[in-house]
Amino acid sequence: MTYNLLTLDSLNPGAVTVALAECLDVAVDEVDVGAPGTDPDLRYWDAAVSCELQPLLGDLTWSLDIYVQETVVDQPLESELAARFAKAVNTTVLFPAEEAPPSAYWVATPQGLITRARLEPSEDEPPVYTVTAVEAPVPQLPQATVEHFEEIVREQRPDSPVTDRFKASLGRVRESASYLAQLSLDEETGSPIWTAQNNLAVWERVITQMESRWAPSGWYPAGLYRERLEARDALVDLVGRLPHDVAVLLNEALDQLDRRFVAATAEDSAGGLQRQLLGPASEQRPTGWWWHRRPDPAPWEEA
């Protein structure tokens, strides 16, 4: 198992050794920590836990690349190790998030807080690292802006089994279709079927996130929610542009998802959500019934 932790405070190799032993429940002499300038002949290369310390500039001081042998019983998640290590050495620790943006990180504090962080390197060589924003106040990062990270939510793609079944059904339709009929089943980028698959997936994902109370972020940007409703709008037009067999399959998938959407939302007969999302244009723009139901509470509004 490998881990990458970044610390705000400077730590000596001895303190790192003791902390890792405690956090991973191994003997101190089974932890090997190498820092710049460490004599390779003095390293214990077969240690149960190995750690390479590399200095960083800016808000960060050390990068810890940790390797834990399979023989170590305790193999925590990276978030768990970060939380344990932050408490053990009494410093704030960063570790990378799973999402695509390279600036996406998590912060673990000695007090037990774990929250999102945006870590940005300068273009210098070596780079200078700055934690520019966090999603909750972090005492050791008073200069960081406290804000929600819209780019993280946009990267989240929960499973979409209804869309997966729709795609599988398309394969069966294609196998049984004649050559000429197969030409209408083109899935190349931008084709009606390709667009239907993508819009169906984003519609399913927003419903899934709504049902989970907007996990894992616990928040959802209003602009992205508007885009999801617009994707549902587009599916209405797409139904009329698809081969009959495909349109039937799409309507069946939409029926399943729309029933879940209704169950997860509240009636908004006064049109407050539509006005909030569309502004002045809401008066002239015809919209589907899904614009007249709202998540309660709206996930972009502070409690």
Side-chain angles (χ1 to χ4, degrees), residues 44-93:
Y44 177 22
W45 298 106
D46 294 325
V49 178
S50 301
C51 174
E52 300 294 332
L53 283 173
Q54 295 295 332
L56 299 174
L57 299 177
D59 290 339
L60 305 175
T61 302
W62 286 113
S63 169
L64 287 71
D65 290 316
I66 304 163
Y67 174 70
V68 179
Q69 300 271 14
E70 293 180 1
T71 54
V72 176
V73 175
D74 192 2
Q75 303 264 343
L77 297 174
E78 194 163 42
S79 57
E80 294 172 354
L81 180 60
R84 295 177 191 178
F85 191 80
K87 183 177 181 180
V89 297
N90 194 34
T91 189
T92 295
V93 173

Side-chain angles (χ1 to χ4, degrees), residues 21-143:
E22 175 186 337
C23 294
L24 295 166
D25 194 23
V26 298
V28 172
D29 59 8
E30 280 298 324
V31 179
D32 177 73
V33 176
T38 300
D39 186 345
D41 292 335
L42 300 178
R43 301 289 301 276
Y44 177 22
W45 298 106
D46 294 325
V49 178
S50 301
C51 174
E52 300 294 332
L53 283 173
Q54 295 295 332
L56 299 174
L57 299 177
D59 290 339
L60 305 175
T61 302
W62 286 113
S63 169
L64 287 71
D65 290 316
I66 304 163
Y67 174 70
V68 179
Q69 300 271 14
E70 293 180 1
T71 54
V72 176
V73 175
D74 192 2
Q75 303 264 343
L77 297 174
E78 194 163 42
S79 57
E80 294 172 354
L81 180 60
R84 295 177 191 178
F85 191 80
K87 183 177 181 180
V89 297
N90 194 34
T91 189
T92 295
V93 173
L94 276 72
F95 59 98
E98 295 180 355
E99 287 81 12
S103 61
Y105 274 76
W106 290 93
V107 168
T109 72
Q111 295 77 28
L113 171 69
I114 294 184
T115 190
R116 296 273 187 179
R118 186 181 294 125
L119 177 64
E120 301 191 45
S122 70
E123 296 182 357
D124 303 302
E125 189 56 46
V128 177
Y129 291 91
T130 304
V131 181
T132 57
V134 290
E135 283 201 326
V138 175
Q140 278 195 281
L141 295 167
Q143 79 286 357

Side-chain angles (χ1 to χ4, degrees), residues 40-270:
D41 292 335
L42 300 178
R43 301 289 301 276
Y44 177 22
W45 298 106
D46 294 325
V49 178
S50 301
C51 174
E52 300 294 332
L53 283 173
Q54 295 295 332
L56 299 174
L57 299 177
D59 290 339
L60 305 175
T61 302
W62 286 113
S63 169
L64 287 71
D65 290 316
I66 304 163
Y67 174 70
V68 179
Q69 300 271 14
E70 293 180 1
T71 54
V72 176
V73 175
D74 192 2
Q75 303 264 343
L77 297 174
E78 194 163 42
S79 57
E80 294 172 354
L81 180 60
R84 295 177 191 178
F85 191 80
K87 183 177 181 180
V89 297
N90 194 34
T91 189
T92 295
V93 173
L94 276 72
F95 59 98
E98 295 180 355
E99 287 81 12
S103 61
Y105 274 76
W106 290 93
V107 168
T109 72
Q111 295 77 28
L113 171 69
I114 294 184
T115 190
R116 296 273 187 179
R118 186 181 294 125
L119 177 64
E120 301 191 45
S122 70
E123 296 182 357
D124 303 302
E125 189 56 46
V128 177
Y129 291 91
T130 304
V131 181
T132 57
V134 290
E135 283 201 326
V138 175
Q140 278 195 281
L141 295 167
Q143 79 286 357
T145 302
V146 179
E147 63 181 56
H148 288 298
F149 295 174
E150 181 170 337
E151 71 272 20
I152 295 296
V153 180
R154 285 183 174 275
E155 287 293 330
Q156 292 164 354
R157 290 175 172 80
D159 293 340
S160 48
V162 174
T163 303
D164 291 342
R165 288 194 292 272
F166 171 69
K167 292 179 180 179
S169 298
L170 287 179
R172 291 190 289 272
V173 169
R174 183 176 290 101
E175 289 173 1
S176 62
S178 66
Y179 173 74
L180 290 178
Q182 287 181 9
L183 296 179
S184 66
L185 298 173
D186 173 34
E187 291 188 54
E188 289 190 6
T189 302
S191 70
I193 288 181
W194 179 90
T195 305
Q197 291 176 357
N198 280 273
N199 286 356
L200 186 65
V202 299
W203 183 235
E204 180 171 6
R205 286 169 184 155
V206 72
I207 294 168
T208 297
Q209 288 173 290
M210 190 184 306
E211 291 170 335
S212 69
R213 295 187 174 272
W214 311 102
S217 293
W219 173 83
Y220 206 83
L224 184 57
Y225 188 80
R226 182 189 67 243
E227 292 174 21
R228 297 324 191 209
L229 296 181
E230 290 170 341
R232 180 63 181 86
D233 291 342
L235 286 165
V236 175
D237 174 64
L238 285 164
V239 167
R241 297 166 55 198
L242 295 172
H244 174 73
D245 289 349
V246 177
V248 169
L249 292 172
L250 179 59
N251 277 325
E252 290 175 352
L254 284 173
D255 182 60
Q256 295 179 55
L257 296 177
D258 287 348
R259 281 187 276 110
R260 287 168 54 189
F261 178 78
V262 169
T265 54
E267 182 70 29
D268 186 35
S269 55

